[in-house]
């Protein structure tokens, strides 16, 4: 075997030449690729030249942690895509990934000659895959408005969100309980029991959702004024579709009395208008006739005085 110093000179050249040969002949020559990989591994074991970019152990550990966190978050988002449960099920993975990315951005290798981990991992190539992944997860999280479901520190679900989800689960349980023993393809007329027995629970859920919308417009618990988080919106959409389309139920309008009062007022407006017009015209006639009577009486008095 050649001495170690000679191996350090020959192995890089041999590995690079084999890699070039494997790339030239194409993917069919797999033995050449395998040999190149084996020689590359031996090259790393023999010791790298100073100009080859190799990560420090600390940076490699940070990169591996970020890769594992990205895989965990991706799996969580995919599993909870339908029905949408992203915010309530994946906020822990998202927080850990943010912490891992922050560690990479501020970390520095142990040795004085090592490169900054942020520079080596984040900006050393055109693709910048770690930055791209972090931006993707941030944009997905912001598009879902998950901050509106969580406390300000993203430590867990807010109290209002937990209250809403509790009512949502009670509504679905009520639907399921009243559908037990009934066929799936029932006509809408056969869902009267669901409408009657679940009306109170659904009304509370609908009122709470409307209240959360109003509160969110003025800045709620999460201090984010936008749509509600996707979990709450999707849950409410599912419940409303079941209530109105599947069960053909309806809520009594809470504004019935004001609507009836306004409608009655508008209905009687023409009657009031014509009645007031009639009385007004009659009053004018009296005013016009009255001076004639006064004038005739006065002239009669003058005649009587003249001939007296």
């Amino acid at each position: 075997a050649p001495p170690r110093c000679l191996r350090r000179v020959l192995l890089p050249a041999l590995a690079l030449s084999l890699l070039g040969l494997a790339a030239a002949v194409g993917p069919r020559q797999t033995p050449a690729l395998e040999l190149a990989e084996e020689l590359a591994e031996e090259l790393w074991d023999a010791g790298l030249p100073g100009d080859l970019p190799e990560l420090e152990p600390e940076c490699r550990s940070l990169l591996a942690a970020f890769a594992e966190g990205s895989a965990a978050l991706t799996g969580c988002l995919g599993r909870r895509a339908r029905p949408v449960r992203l915010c309530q099920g994946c906020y822990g993975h998202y927080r850990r990934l943010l912490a891992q990315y922050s560690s990479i951005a501020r970390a520095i290798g142990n040795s004085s000659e090592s490169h900054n981990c942020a520079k080596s991992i984040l900006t050393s190539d055109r693709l910048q895959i770690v930055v791209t992944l972090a931006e993707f997860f941030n944009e997905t999280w912001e598009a879902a408005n998950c901050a509106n479901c969580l406390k300000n520190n993203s430590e867990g679900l807010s109290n209002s969100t937990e209250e809403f989800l509790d009512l949502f689960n009670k509504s679905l349980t009520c639907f399921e309980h009243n559908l037990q023993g009934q066929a799936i393809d029932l006509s809408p007329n056969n869902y009267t029991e669901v409408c009657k027995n679940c009306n109170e629970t659904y009304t509370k859920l609908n009122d709470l959702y409307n209240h959360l919308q109003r509160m969110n417009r003025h800045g709620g618990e999460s201090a984010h004024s936008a749509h509600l988080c996707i979990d709450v919106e999707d849950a409410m959409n599912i419940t409303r579709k079941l209530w109105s389309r599947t069960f053909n139920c309806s809520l009594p309008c809470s504004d019935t009395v004001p609507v009836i009062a306004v409608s009655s007022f508008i209905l009687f407006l023409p009657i009031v208008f014509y009645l007031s017009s009639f009385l007004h015209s009659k009053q004018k006639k009296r005013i016009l006739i009255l001076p004639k009577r006064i004038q005739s009486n006065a002239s009669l008095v003058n005649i009587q005085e003249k001939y007296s």
Side-chain angles (χ1 to χ4, degrees), residues 1-16:
R4 188 175 183 85
C5 59
L6 184 60
R7 290 176 62 190
R8 291 193 176 186
V9 177
L10 293 178
L11 283 176
L14 182 58
L16 291 174

Side-chain angles (χ1 to χ4, degrees), residues 13-300:
L14 182 58
L16 291 174
S17 62
L18 285 175
L19 285 173
L21 177 62
V25 298
R28 293 183 180 179
Q29 300 294 330
T30 54
L33 289 175
E34 293 176 356
L35 181 59
E37 291 176 356
E38 292 176 0
L39 286 174
E41 291 179 0
E42 191 174 355
L43 175 63
W44 301 128
D45 295 337
L48 284 171
D51 58 342
L52 291 182
E54 170 66 359
L55 288 177
E56 291 292 328
E58 179 188 358
C59 301
R60 186 176 293 277
S61 176
L62 292 173
L63 181 60
F66 180 83
E68 293 175 0
S70 300
L73 181 56
T74 302
C76 183
L77 295 176
R79 288 189 300 269
R80 296 175 180 270
R82 291 303 308 165
V84 182
R85 300 292 184 270
L86 306 182
C87 304
Q88 54 189 302
C90 303
Y91 67 89
H93 294 293
Y94 180 71
R95 287 190 67 197
R96 283 189 290 273
L97 189 70
L98 287 182
Q100 290 161 353
Y101 184 81
S102 299
S103 298
I104 293 175
R106 66 170 180 265
I108 300 178
N110 293 326
S111 65
S112 58
E113 297 179 357
S114 64
H115 296 285
N116 187 309
C117 289
K119 182 178 180 181
S120 301
I121 297 175
L122 303 181
T123 61
S124 61
D125 57 83
R126 178 178 60 83
L127 189 58
Q128 299 181 4
I129 188 64
V130 174
V131 177
T132 302
L133 285 174
E135 290 177 352
F136 165 75
F137 289 123
N138 284 330
E139 290 173 0
T140 302
W141 199 255
E142 291 175 2
N145 289 303
C146 288
N148 288 322
C149 277
L150 306 173
K151 297 177 180 178
N152 286 332
N153 297 327
S154 297
E155 296 176 350
L157 296 176
S158 62
N159 296 332
S160 57
T161 303
E162 290 183 347
E163 182 183 0
F164 175 86
L165 294 176
D166 181 62
L167 280 175
F168 170 69
N169 293 328
K170 288 181 180 179
S171 299
L172 294 185
T173 302
C174 183
F175 295 162
E176 182 180 2
H177 176 74
N178 285 274
L179 286 174
Q180 287 180 353
Q182 299 184 15
I184 300 300
D185 57 346
L186 289 174
S187 62
N189 295 329
N190 293 329
Y191 291 122
T192 53
E193 291 297 321
V194 177
C195 301
K196 181 177 67 175
N197 297 332
C198 303
N199 180 73
E200 182 179 357
T201 306
Y202 177 78
T203 302
K204 290 181 179 179
L205 179 69
N206 191 67
D207 291 343
L208 178 58
Y209 181 80
N210 294 333
H211 171 70
L212 291 177
Q213 280 188 318
R214 291 191 298 268
M215 183 179 66
N216 190 62
R217 293 191 188 101
H218 297 88
E221 299 177 24
S222 61
H224 287 265
S225 56
H227 294 288
L228 295 176
C229 74
I230 190 64
D231 292 25
V232 172
E233 290 182 344
D234 186 70
M236 195 66 225
N237 288 337
I238 291 173
T239 313
R240 284 176 173 174
K241 287 179 181 178
L242 288 173
W243 182 260
S244 59
R245 296 183 184 179
T246 304
F247 305 139
N248 199 27
C249 302
S250 60
L251 282 177
C253 183
S254 59
D255 298 330
T256 302
V257 175
V259 169
I260 294 176
V262 172
S263 302
S264 302
F265 175 75
I266 295 175
L267 181 64
F268 282 100
L269 271 180
I271 300 175
V272 174
F273 173 75
Y274 286 114
L275 183 61
S276 61
S277 298
F278 174 76
L279 295 176
H280 186 65
S281 61
K282 191 174 181 180
Q283 184 69 22
K284 277 188 173 182
K285 287 181 181 179
R286 289 181 178 177
I287 294 173
L288 290 174
I289 294 173
L290 194 59
K292 292 181 180 180
R293 291 180 178 177
I294 294 174
Q295 185 177 1
S296 61
N297 291 335
S299 60
L300 184 60

